[in-house]
Amino acid sequence: MPLSKLKTKPKLESFDTVLDFEAIGTLWSVKLNQPLSKTKQASLSQSIKSRIDAFDKNYSRFRNDSLVGQMAQTKGKYRLPDDAKPLIDTYRHLYDLTGGLMTPLVGQMLADSGYDATYSFKPKATLRRAPAWDETLDYNYPNLEIKQTALLDFGAAGKGYLIDLVGGIVQASGIKSFSVNAGGDIFNYNLPASLCLVGLEHPINLDEIVGVAELGHGAICGSAINRRSWGEYNHIFNPGTMKSVSDVLATWVVSQQALIADALSTALFFVSANTLNTNFKFDYALIRRDLSLEYSASFPARFYT
Amino acid sequence: MNEDNPRRKKRIQASIAVVVLAAVLGGSALAFSGKNGASSASVSSSSSQSISTAKVNFKSGTYSATGSYDSPGGEEHLKITLTVADSVVTAASAVSDANDPTAQTYQDSFISGYKSQVVGKKLNAIQISNIAGSSLTTQGFNDALKQIENQAKA
């Protein structure tokens, strides 16, 4: 039931079981709406961490031994992992929709700017351009040919996809109501009103929120340029200008899959929602540099204005 | 997401009200063609919310007009058709006139709120179960950032 129709605010409850851990460079919190024995908690944690590890070993640009690391060093034909198709299909689709502004080929530019495997945050004098997809890659699942070596970056949508995969593991273990939160990107599964409220973080004052979303079932992903910023750069690069974006401060996208919500939350820094609207089913909100707000008609939140 | 868009309905209703009122005022920029001949109408009630109860003195028949209104994307046009029987509008439809695909998209405008500035509220004052924002950073990341900041200051 929409929040506005409730006569009284739902009494906030807490989740019965919370599993917190660090992985892929951020803080995860898997919250279950039911008690779980210590043994089962340990077993579920282990399954989740193994899955994340396997994903990281394929798609991380921060390790030489990953598939991405190999592709950055050696040309040739690669057979992609079994889970690659939804991820790379989404990237290809958004590459086309954004005219190449959202691209997995921005990895080297990110590393050159300082956001590299050692977190040096020391920008090189010149950043390398993001090459064009068709000059560099030949993608035909399950095959990916690396025609020119390139450092791929799946940071824009990889975490969202991984949230979906982890959500699948939790579901498969028999949990009927839960939330997977990976550092601020969230997938809620069958949550009651008392557990479904999601605060929308203020893009500047990180101890405040600018609104509250209500999401019993589905994904909400946020992107902002605040946390990962150093010197003149933040982690969202416009490969055309070779500068970090600055007009939009923060975006949120609600969709059925976290893969899509995560991907679109980045795409909205590059193109308007109307460009994406005919291709994806989602709701969104974003905040610009002047703190002005823009949102879709059915974005499920109340904002403080 | 656009199946139930109250704003679109409102726009259509507003446009129809414009059409009817324009007929009363002798028609401003609207070309109004009727199948059974138009007559200048007097409108007894111009509620823009309920088309079916608006009473007009049109001869029964089908009338169409193109209305325009301002939208964030510029001026847009809707072709409106009214069916009148016994001085009662019995049917109305609005069809987008947009040739430009972008304008067509704006007809079902996805964008809702504009320009309001957000303000923040302290977290401890509000009860929530999760926070959505940019990816939380780890201690390792924060330490690396801090090192750089310190070096920059030195």
Side-chain angles (χ1 to χ4, degrees), chain B residues 88-137:
Chain B
V88 174
V89 175
T90 56
S93 71
V95 174
S96 143
D97 214 13
N99 293 313
D100 177 0
T102 308
Q104 177 65 65
T105 312
Y106 274 114
Q107 299 280 0
D108 300 305
S109 181
F110 193 46
I111 299 173
S112 180
Y114 252 124
K115 294 305 176 194
S116 335
Q117 284 195 315
V118 289
V119 296
K121 286 201 180 168
K122 290 269 181 258
L123 265 172
N124 50 23
I126 301 139
Q127 296 194 308
I128 46 174
S129 299
N130 266 304
I131 297 177
S134 65
S135 296
L136 297 178
T137 46

Side-chain angles (χ1 to χ4, degrees), chain B residues 12-53:
Chain B
I12 292 165
Q13 290 165 353
S15 294
I16 288 170
V18 166
V19 166
V20 172
L21 288 173
V24 172
L25 301 168
S28 50
L30 299 174
F32 204 45
S33 62
K35 267 174 105 179
N36 290 353
S39 53
S40 59
S42 63
V43 181
S44 54
S45 95
S46 59
S47 160
S48 62
Q49 295 307 314
S50 81
I51 300 160
S52 57
T53 62

Side-chain angles (χ1 to χ4, degrees), chain A residues 12 22 25-26 31 119-122 159 179 181 183-184 186 195 197-199 201 207-210 222 224 226-229 252 274 277 282-284 290-298 304-305, chain B residues 1-3 5-7 102 105-106 108-124 126-141 144-145 148-149 151:
Chain A
L12 186 82
E22 221 177 84
T26 192
K31 308 189 221 259
Y119 289 166
S120 74
F121 297 121
K122 286 191 165 101
K159 177 145 68 80
S179 172
N181 182 333
I186 296 155
L195 293 173
L197 299 184
V198 178
E201 194 178 59
D207 59 342
E208 295 180 356
I209 57 175
V210 293
N226 45 33
R227 284 193 164 87
R228 289 163 201 262
S229 67
W252 294 273
N274 283 335
N277 184 26
F282 68 100
D283 276 298
Y284 80 101
D290 59 356
L291 289 184
S292 64
L293 175 67
E294 179 191 302
Y295 52 88
S296 57
S298 41
Y304 309 128
T305 55
Chain B
M1 295 300 158
N2 290 327
E3 301 93 317
N5 193 332
R7 273 182 174 259
T102 308
T105 312
Y106 274 114
D108 300 305
S109 181
F110 193 46
I111 299 173
S112 180
Y114 252 124
K115 294 305 176 194
S116 335
Q117 284 195 315
V118 289
V119 296
K121 286 201 180 168
K122 290 269 181 258
L123 265 172
N124 50 23
I126 301 139
Q127 296 194 308
I128 46 174
S129 299
N130 266 304
I131 297 177
S134 65
S135 296
L136 297 178
T137 46
T138 58
Q139 200 51 55
F141 188 97
L145 267 191
I148 284 300
E149 281 163 17
Q151 281 177 25

Side-chain angles (χ1 to χ4, degrees), chain A residues 231-286:
Chain A
E232 64 182 287
Y233 295 120
N234 66 67
H235 72 302
I236 304 185
F237 267 82
N238 179 320
T241 62
M242 293 176 67
K243 289 184 164 33
S244 297
V245 299
S246 60
D247 179 53
V248 174
L249 294 186
T251 66
W252 294 273
V253 174
V254 166
S255 193
Q256 283 174 341
Q257 295 170 267
L259 163 62
I260 300 304
D262 198 15
L264 297 185
S265 72
T266 294
L268 284 171
F269 284 91
F270 300 119
V271 295
S272 74
N274 283 335
T275 303
L276 306 167
N277 184 26
T278 48
N279 288 269
F280 297 96
K281 191 170 152 72
F282 68 100
D283 276 298
Y284 80 101
L286 60 83

Side-chain angles (χ1 to χ4, degrees), chain A residues 69-244:
Chain A
Q70 288 170 46
M71 288 173 172
Q73 295 163 60
T74 313
K75 292 195 270 201
K77 293 194 169 130
Y78 290 81
R79 195 190 162 87
L80 291 166
D82 291 343
D83 58 7
K85 191 174 193 301
L87 182 64
I88 305 187
D89 281 358
T90 302
Y91 268 96
R92 178 73 226 202
H93 197 171
L94 285 167
Y95 181 86
D96 293 335
L97 278 181
T98 63
L101 290 177
M102 183 160 156
T103 171
L105 290 151
V106 73
Q108 196 59 62
M109 193 184 299
L110 277 166
D112 287 348
S113 77
Y115 191 10
D116 55 30
T118 67
Y119 289 166
S120 74
F121 297 121
K122 286 191 165 101
K124 297 212 171 5
T126 327
L127 308 188
R128 269 167 282 191
R129 283 207 161 275
W133 185 301
D134 294 322
E135 286 167 20
T136 320
L137 309 171
D138 190 352
Y139 169 57
N140 207 348
Y141 185 79
N143 298 312
L144 180 64
E145 186 187 351
I146 306 295
K147 302 195 284 192
Q148 305 293 336
T149 55
L151 184 60
L152 299 176
D153 172 75
F154 291 110
K159 177 145 68 80
Y161 186 36
L162 191 46
I163 288 169
D164 287 332
L165 296 172
V166 168
I169 289 174
V170 179
Q171 260 181 274
S173 76
I175 312 289
K176 305 243 180 295
S177 172
F178 62 87
S179 172
V180 177
N181 182 333
D185 290 339
I186 296 155
F187 175 68
N188 283 345
Y189 185 83
N190 284 345
L191 290 184
S194 56
L195 293 173
C196 77
L197 299 184
V198 178
L200 304 173
E201 194 178 59
H202 194 293
I204 299 170
N205 309 329
L206 302 185
D207 59 342
E208 295 180 356
I209 57 175
V210 293
V212 179
E214 169 201 341
L215 191 67
H217 192 86
I220 179 167
C221 291
S223 273
I225 60 175
N226 45 33
R227 284 193 164 87
R228 289 163 201 262
S229 67
W230 62 101
E232 64 182 287
Y233 295 120
N234 66 67
H235 72 302
I236 304 185
F237 267 82
N238 179 320
T241 62
M242 293 176 67
K243 289 184 164 33
S244 297

